[in-house]
């Protein structure tokens, strides 16, 4: 009888020592990327409806798409690997504030959610926290992996939202920015599916060191 042996996990050399990557680490990355993909697809679908099928029925359909986008983004923010625990928590708090704001706007206004946000730019001061959290992911990916699409998104998102908030962007330019955002978000999510999983896990020795210092995420 032959016995099957499992190949040992590769040992990586980190900044503060050696480490290995286990199945739990890999599962976390897969969930992070799946959340990004669902968020990107939901956002793209809502954008297509808003730009090309602008009628009462489709405007109503944007509400569940936004809910799906927001929930998927929350999942990604739970599983993303960020060395700075304070920054990680800030992004999660931003998402929570934005989600609560969206819930309030969606349930305490008679208009469809998308119309409420569009016709009342001041609501961006609430739901904008969700997109600030998303921009944090874009910035992290741009900084860590030098991705062109996330570099562009890091500037595109705040320009569009702040421009609409203060009313300085013409509607045609807003539509262009929104289309670019949706497209690059999809490109980003798709490219993540082909990236090696260990890259998203990062240097686990840094997490271990920070934990030892009492400042790492649990």
């Amino acid at each position: 009888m032959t016995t099957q042996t499992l190949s040992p996990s590769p040992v990586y050399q980190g900044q503060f020592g050696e480490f290995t990557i286990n199945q739990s680490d890999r599962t976390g990355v897969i969930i992070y990327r799946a959340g990004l993909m669902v968020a990107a697809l939901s956002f793209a679908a809502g954008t297509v409806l808003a730009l090309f099928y602008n009628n009462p029925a489709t405007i109503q359909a944007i509400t569940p798409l936004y809910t799906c986008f927001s929930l998927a983004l929350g999942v990604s923010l739970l599983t993303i690997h960020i060395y700075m625990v304070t920054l990680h928590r800030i992004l999660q708090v931003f998402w929570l504030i934005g989600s609560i704001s969206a819930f309030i706007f969606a349930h305490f206004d008679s208009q469809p959610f998308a119309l409420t946000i569009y016709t009342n730019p001041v609501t961006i001061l609430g739901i904008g926290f969700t997109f600030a959290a998303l921009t944090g992911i874009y910035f992290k990916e741009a900084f860590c992996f030098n991705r062109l699409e996330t570099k562009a998104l890091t500037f595109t998102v705040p320009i569009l939202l702040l421009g609409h908030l203060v009313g300085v962007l013409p509607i045609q330019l807003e539509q262009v920015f929104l289309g670019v955002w949706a497209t690059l978000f999809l490109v980003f999510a798709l490219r993540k599916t082909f990236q090696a999983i260990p890259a998203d896990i990062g240097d686990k020795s840094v997490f271990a060191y920070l934990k030892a210092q009492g400042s790492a995420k649990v």
Side-chain angles (χ1 to χ4, degrees):
M1 178 183 296
T2 60
T3 58
Q4 184 176 7
T5 59
L6 297 175
S7 59
S9 300
V11 177
Y12 299 88
Q13 180 61 49
Q15 183 177 352
F16 297 100
E18 296 180 340
F19 66 92
T20 59
I21 293 175
N22 56 38
Q23 187 56 45
S24 177
D25 297 324
R26 295 178 180 276
T27 299
V29 172
I30 293 170
I31 293 173
Y32 165 66
R33 295 179 180 181
L36 287 178
M37 179 61 74
V38 172
L41 289 171
S42 301
F43 189 83
T47 298
V48 169
L49 293 181
L51 294 181
F52 303 107
Y53 300 96
N54 196 331
N55 60 67
T58 56
I59 294 301
Q60 288 280 7
I62 292 176
T63 302
L65 286 171
Y66 183 88
T67 300
C68 187
F69 154 79
S70 183
L71 291 175
L73 177 61
V75 170
S76 289
L77 285 168
L78 281 175
T79 51
I80 190 174
H81 287 73
I82 298 179
Y83 294 130
M84 295 178 61
V85 63
T86 302
L87 176 58
H88 193 181
R89 296 293 179 256
I90 288 173
L91 295 182
Q92 291 173 333
V93 170
F94 278 8
W95 172 84
L96 182 61
I97 294 172
S99 298
I100 293 172
S101 300
F103 179 85
I104 292 172
F105 297 144
H107 289 82
F108 291 91
D109 194 304
S110 58
Q111 294 186 105
F113 175 73
L115 282 180
T116 298
I117 302 305
Y118 182 76
T119 58
N120 299 278
V122 70
T123 56
I124 292 175
L125 296 176
I127 69 163
F129 280 94
T130 293
F131 297 109
L134 178 59
T135 303
I137 292 179
Y138 295 153
F139 178 80
K140 180 261 185 187
E141 292 282 343
F143 180 81
C144 293
F145 304 114
N146 197 31
R147 293 189 178 280
L148 180 61
E149 66 274 14
T150 51
K151 288 181 180 179
L153 286 166
T154 300
F155 294 98
T156 300
V157 176
I159 289 174
L160 174 58
L161 296 180
L162 293 176
H164 184 68
L165 175 63
V166 298
V168 297
L169 296 178
I171 185 172
Q172 293 83 0
L173 188 55
E174 287 186 346
Q175 291 173 339
V176 170
F177 270 100
L178 184 60
V180 169
W181 180 359
T183 301
L184 293 182
F185 193 2
L186 274 177
V187 170
F188 164 51
L190 285 169
R191 288 188 68 191
K192 291 299 291 183
T193 63
F194 298 101
Q195 185 176 6
I197 284 180
D200 266 339
I201 296 170
D203 185 346
K204 288 180 66 178
S205 74
V206 174
F207 289 111
Y209 172 79
L210 292 175
K211 186 175 182 179
Q213 298 298 313
S215 60
K217 70 174 185 178
V218 177

